[in-house]
Amino acid sequence: MPPHSREDAPPHRTPRWIALGWVAVLTVVAWHHVPKAHANHTHTGSNQLHLSTLHGNNGTSTTPGDQDEQYCVQSRSTSINGTQMANFIEETLAKLSTIWDGTANWRVDLWRASKFCFDYDSATRATIEYEYHIKDDFYEVSLCGGDYSCVVFDNGVYDGSHTHYKWGYSYLQTEHVNGYNTRARKFINHETGHILGLMDPSYNGHCMNSVMHNDLYASMGCTDPVWYPTASDKSSVTRIADRTNTW
Ligand SMILES: [Zn+2]
Ligand SMILES: [Zn+2]
């Protein structure tokens, strides 16, 4: 089943009615949205689902700044070794030849936190921009809806032009990533694309060479097996970072 970008049910930090309100808004937007044919697309308008740090880059070569993106990893499955998974995610995001890290002239600057998410005190954890949680089934907490991996945003802030989010969560199902293989990287890169503001295909046949529009969406006719962020994926994230995204 395809992964899903869910904007509902933040894990534990925002009253649920606020999140449901956004879902209502987004549903309306989605119905009236007419994307360019076969074009990669982003969240646009007054509410944009991406990390608030995406527009800046202020770290050094050895230390993340508050405009960089720190992430932690948390295994919530007894069958997933947290360190092994964190190593695999870090490799996928930042160490292979085609990666998200460095996108938009290093405004995407991904830093792995040294500890697992649950091992931080809440004040320190609040400074970490996003989290990967691996769990056997997110259905029980109503996050991703059964078979899906998904992304959830929380702590929206208005920057003068749009609202974006200080915290993002990538919920990955154990079955999607426990092969530590190309398929697992495909899910990690896809859900990270959501963290960076990209959307899923919005209609049947909305396919292209994109980790967001690949064969995870075979149900919508997409067949490209690409598992890494492509040039068009990166240019779309750059448009978000530049605030020039209009589709
Ligand atoms: Zn998706
Ligand atoms: Zn923004």
Side-chain angles (χ1 to χ4, degrees):
M1 297 295 284
H4 221 91
S5 174
R6 296 275 293 210
E7 292 80 33
D8 60 344
H12 35 70
R13 285 160 168 161
T14 303
R16 184 175 176 82
W17 68 266
I18 294 177
L20 293 174
W22 280 124
V23 170
V25 170
L26 289 163
T27 302
V28 171
V29 170
W31 276 105
H32 293 283
H33 179 59
V34 182
K36 287 188 179 180
H38 300 283
N40 213 335
H41 56 307
T42 70
H43 292 282
T44 60
S46 59
N47 180 46
Q48 300 195 11
L49 299 179
H50 58 247
L51 288 181
S52 58
T53 56
L54 186 54
H55 305 286
N57 173 31
N58 62 352
T60 70
S61 61
T62 54
T63 311
D66 64 6
Q67 288 295 302
D68 291 334
E69 292 78 35
Q70 269 196 285
Y71 64 91
C72 58
V73 175
Q74 183 65 52
S75 171
R76 294 162 65 180
S77 167
T78 55
S79 68
I80 294 288
N81 177 289
T83 299
Q84 182 185 5
M85 182 54 66
N87 288 342
F88 184 77
I89 289 173
E90 181 179 29
E91 181 182 71
T92 302
L93 297 178
K95 294 186 174 178
L96 301 179
S97 59
T98 306
I99 50 178
W100 278 122
D101 197 27
T103 296
N105 201 17
W106 286 101
R107 282 170 290 177
V108 176
D109 196 355
L110 309 176
W111 293 81
R112 173 181 167 184
S114 59
K115 297 195 280 191
F116 300 131
C117 306
F118 289 171
D119 291 344
Y120 287 100
D121 63 80
S122 60
T124 306
R125 189 175 169 191
T127 68
I128 295 172
E129 280 75 17
Y130 73 110
E131 306 186 350
Y132 293 91
H133 291 231
I134 299 89
K135 202 165 183 291
D136 297 339
D137 183 358
F138 283 103
Y139 181 77
E140 63 194 83
V141 284
S142 302
L143 280 172
C144 297
D147 297 330
Y148 302 113
S149 290
C150 70
V151 164
V152 173
F153 290 91
D154 196 5
N155 200 355
V157 289
Y158 182 66
D159 75 341
S161 69
H162 60 260
T163 294
H164 46 201
Y165 293 81
K166 294 180 79 169
W167 296 327
Y169 303 83
S170 284
Y171 293 102
L172 297 165
Q173 283 205 16
T174 298
E175 186 276 323
H176 289 163
V177 294
N178 63 5
Y180 298 93
N181 54 10
T182 296
R183 179 172 178 268
R185 297 194 200 281
K186 187 180 298 187
F187 278 99
I188 292 164
N189 281 325
H190 179 99
E191 299 306 337
T192 304
H194 285 309
I195 290 282
L196 300 176
L198 301 184
M199 297 172 72
D200 288 322
S202 46
Y203 52 90
N204 197 55
H206 188 199
C207 309
M208 60 187 296
N209 182 229
S210 161
V211 77
M212 310 308 293
H213 301 64
N214 57 13
D215 62 356
L216 292 174
Y217 282 90
S219 63
M220 297 181 82
C222 299
T223 58
D224 193 323
V226 64
W227 54 270
Y228 49 82
T230 66
S232 70
D233 290 326
K234 293 183 180 187
S235 69
S236 294
V237 170
T238 300
R239 288 189 295 115
I240 301 170
D242 287 343
R243 304 173 192 275
T244 59
N245 56 313
T246 56
W247 44 272

